[in-house]
Amino acid sequence: MNQCFQLQVQAIIATSFRQRHFSFSSRYTASRVSFSSFCCGRNSEMEEVKVASDFLVGDPALLEKKIDAIRSGGPQKLQVIADFDATLTKFSVNGTRGQTSHGLLQQGNPEYDAKRQQLYEYYHPLEFSPTIGLEEKTKLMEEWWGKTHALLVEGGLTYESIRQSVANANIAFREGVSELFEFLEERDIPVLIFSAGLADIIEEVLRQKLHRSFKNVRIVSNRMVFNDNGNLVSFKGKLIHSLNKNEHALDMAAPVHERFGDMDGPTDDNASLKKRTNVLLLGDHLGDLGMSDGLNYETRISMGFLNHNIENSLSCYREAFDVVFVNDAAMWGVIKLVSEICSSGV
C-alpha cells in the first residue's frame, strides 16, 4: 500500500448512545485500532480510530430514531433479511478464506467441476465490470447461472455429493448465529435468507453446522429437484442470480425445516411477510442493500459486515449501512440490537 495514502475516519463509540437504546457496551469494550487508506497529504500521521471493539456507526442519532420507530411497531411488524455467504458465515475459517455455499460444491465428476470453474473465470469479471450496463449484465448473469445449473444436471449431481461436499467444506457460521435465530424464533420474527446460490446446499450447511432447524427461517434461493434415487433432475421456479435476489423473488421462499421433515407450527406466507414493514437487513456487500427491494418498508436498519479491503471500503460502508462490523465480527452485536428493538422498556 502507498504510504502517502491514509484513512481518516471519525468513529462513534457505542457507549455514547443512551443506554436505553443501544447498550452494546455490555458486550463490547472500547479499543483502539488503526486503519490506513486513501487520504491526500504526504506527511499526515496515522489517525487512530476509536471503535467499540468490532463495530462502528455512521449516524447514531438516525440509528436511535430507527430503533424507536421499529420498537413502537412491535415484533409483529419486523422481519430480518440476511445474506448467507460471509454474512451469516465467517469470512475466515481456520486461518484461511472460508468457502461459499456455491464454491464448496464438488459434483464428484472432475470434468464437470472444471467446466463450472471455466464458467466462473469467464463470467465473474463481467459481473463486476463497470463498463457493462445493468440490462446487459442481467442477461449475462442469467446466462451464467443457466449454464451452471445445466452442468449440474448433466454431470449427474446427487444429494449425497452435496452432503459430502458440506462435510468436507471449510465453512462455519459466525458465533451467535444460532442464538440469533432462536431469539427471533421465540418472538415469531421471520428470517429470510437471500442467496444467489443453491437452497439445498444452504439447508445442508444449516443441518450439519447448527444441528437444528428453525421454523421462522426461510430460504430465497435456487432450489433443486431430485428423483427418488437422489439424482438432480431439474431446478424449480424462477432463476435467482446475483442481480435479482430481493423480495420480488419471495415466491421461491420455502421454510428451511421442509427438508428436515418438521412442518409443525405456523409459517409466514408471502402476503403476511409484506405486511411486516420494518426490516433488519444483514449483508456483506453494498449490493446486499437491494435485498429489501420489492418491499414497501417503513423503517430499515442495515448492518454491514466489512470482511476485507477494510482500508479502502470503510468510508463507503459507513455511509451506506447504519452499523458496520469489521474483523469478521460475531453476531452478538446484532443480537444486542434486536433485544433493544424488542424490549418494551423506556
Side-chain angles (χ1 to χ4, degrees):
M1 180 177 297
N2 295 333
Q3 294 182 354
C4 63
F5 295 124
Q6 298 174 328
L7 175 67
Q8 294 178 333
V9 295
Q10 181 180 5
I12 310 300
I13 302 178
T15 51
S16 67
F17 300 133
R18 293 197 309 242
Q19 280 287 347
R20 70 181 182 89
H21 282 300
F22 201 51
S23 52
F24 272 159
S25 55
S26 65
R27 177 67 67 174
Y28 293 108
T29 57
S31 60
R32 276 188 155 332
V33 297
S34 296
F35 299 101
S36 60
S37 184
F38 297 104
C39 174
C40 296
R42 298 171 61 89
N43 299 317
S44 299
E45 293 184 0
M46 177 68 69
E47 178 178 349
E48 283 190 315
V49 181
K50 251 188 175 181
V51 300
S53 187
D54 293 325
F55 74 91
L56 327 101
V57 178
D59 189 337
L62 177 61
L63 178 59
E64 215 172 294
K65 182 178 179 181
K66 288 184 176 183
I67 291 173
D68 280 337
I70 295 179
R71 182 193 285 117
S72 66
Q76 67 274 11
K77 290 192 67 176
L78 178 63
Q79 64 174 293
V80 176
I81 299 173
D83 174 54
F84 187 75
D85 293 309
T87 297
L88 295 178
T89 62
K90 298 179 68 175
F91 182 78
S92 178
V93 182
N94 299 323
T96 62
R97 173 70 171 91
Q99 290 180 292
T100 65
S101 57
H102 217 197
L104 65 81
L105 179 61
Q106 296 296 313
Q107 287 184 242
N109 187 324
E111 176 187 355
Y112 283 86
D113 287 336
K115 287 181 177 180
R116 287 190 294 113
Q117 181 62 28
Q118 289 172 1
L119 290 177
Y120 174 87
E121 292 172 358
Y122 175 76
Y123 284 102
H124 187 256
L126 302 179
E127 180 181 6
F128 295 97
S129 172
T131 62
I132 301 176
L134 180 60
E135 183 176 352
E136 181 182 358
K137 191 176 290 187
T138 298
K139 292 180 180 178
L140 288 168
M141 294 304 101
E142 291 173 352
E143 188 178 279
W144 181 13
W145 261 253
K147 288 180 179 179
T148 297
H149 289 180
L151 287 175
L152 292 174
V153 175
E154 183 182 335
L157 179 68
T158 66
Y159 198 83
E160 182 56 35
S161 295
I162 291 178
R163 289 194 183 97
Q164 197 59 47
S165 294
V166 172
N168 296 334
N170 189 42
I171 190 170
F173 285 99
R174 295 179 188 270
E175 291 183 21
V177 166
S178 183
E179 289 85 350
L180 174 64
F181 286 174
E182 184 174 350
F183 182 94
L184 296 169
E185 183 182 49
E186 290 172 353
R187 289 154 182 81
D188 295 322
I189 299 172
V191 178
L192 295 180
I193 298 176
F194 283 76
S195 174
L198 301 166
D200 304 82
I201 293 179
I202 293 173
E203 288 178 348
E204 190 62 30
V205 174
L206 288 164
R207 183 202 308 272
Q208 293 193 27
K209 304 302 180 182
L210 296 185
H211 308 293
R212 61 156 295 183
S213 62
F214 298 89
K215 292 181 173 61
N216 60 323
V217 175
R218 303 179 69 182
I219 297 176
V220 183
S221 189
N222 298 290
R223 193 165 291 277
M224 300 173 172
V225 178
F226 295 88
N227 63 20
D228 293 339
N229 296 320
N231 297 309
L232 176 64
V233 294
S234 65
F235 286 80
K236 64 180 178 181
K238 175 181 173 183
L239 181 70
I240 298 178
H241 54 77
S242 58
L243 299 182
N244 73 344
K245 61 169 191 175
N246 54 50
E247 293 228 7
H248 289 297
L250 269 179
D251 57 324
M252 289 290 292
V256 70
H257 55 278
E258 181 177 288
R259 184 172 288 278
F260 282 83
D262 178 10
M263 295 299 293
D264 295 330
T267 60
D268 286 272
D269 58 24
N270 295 349
S272 65
L273 283 171
K274 289 184 179 295
K275 293 178 182 177
R276 291 178 174 267
T277 51
N278 291 326
V279 175
L280 177 63
L281 184 147
L282 311 177
D284 70 301
H285 286 294
L286 297 177
D288 288 336
L289 292 165
M291 292 189 298
S292 56
D293 290 352
L295 175 69
N296 187 23
Y297 61 82
E298 296 176 8
T299 305
R300 182 185 75 177
I301 294 177
S302 57
M303 309 187 83
F305 290 82
L306 178 52
N307 296 306
H308 64 106
N309 198 22
I310 295 175
E311 299 88 350
N312 295 332
S313 302
L314 183 59
S315 179
C316 294
Y317 271 64
R318 286 187 65 220
E319 291 179 6
F321 290 95
D322 294 302
V323 182
V324 179
F325 292 94
V326 295
N327 302 329
D328 219 4
M331 280 287 169
W332 305 124
V334 178
I335 295 173
K336 195 67 178 178
L337 183 141
V338 174
S339 67
E340 292 289 336
I341 288 174
C342 293
S343 67
S344 57
V346 297

